[in-house]
Amino acid sequence: MIETKGCIRMWATKGETLATNYYPNNCYDEARGDKKTVYQGDYRIMGNHIDYKDDAGFTVDGEYRNGILYHSGMVLYKEN
């Protein structure tokens, strides 16, 4: 399981091949496979829409629908 201390929510693909931890300071930390940190950056949520900008300047967005996060062609589910 990925470290979630201080995390306000964690979303992951089935099997946790990708997991993203969201923190209250609007920062995120994305893990893939066995790597705990692959991407880090900032996020902003507006209604059902989320925008990301990683530390390298890459931007991407996603949308929440029916309790599921659709992000860059991936489907993520909220972890309990």
Side-chain angles (χ1 to χ4, degrees):
M1 181 59 74
I2 295 163
E3 175 64 41
T4 59
K5 185 176 182 179
C7 178
I8 58 171
R9 67 183 83 81
M10 177 179 160
W11 291 75
T13 57
K14 290 199 185 267
E16 291 188 14
T17 55
L18 177 138
T20 305
N21 292 312
Y22 298 90
Y23 299 97
N25 61 353
N26 286 15
C27 292
Y28 72 90
D29 188 11
E30 184 176 300
R32 292 184 183 221
D34 293 335
K35 294 185 179 184
K36 284 188 173 184
T37 298
V38 178
Y39 299 105
Q40 291 179 317
D42 300 319
Y43 70 91
R44 187 172 83 168
I45 298 173
M46 297 150 297
N48 289 338
H49 185 85
I50 185 168
D51 287 317
Y52 301 87
K53 183 176 181 181
D54 73 17
D55 290 342
F58 180 76
T59 59
V60 69
D61 64 355
E63 183 177 316
Y64 299 98
R65 290 181 293 201
N66 300 316
I68 299 170
L69 173 57
Y70 297 88
H71 161 67
S72 282
M74 294 175 277
V75 179
L76 291 91
Y77 301 89
K78 187 173 182 179
E79 294 286 304
N80 294 326

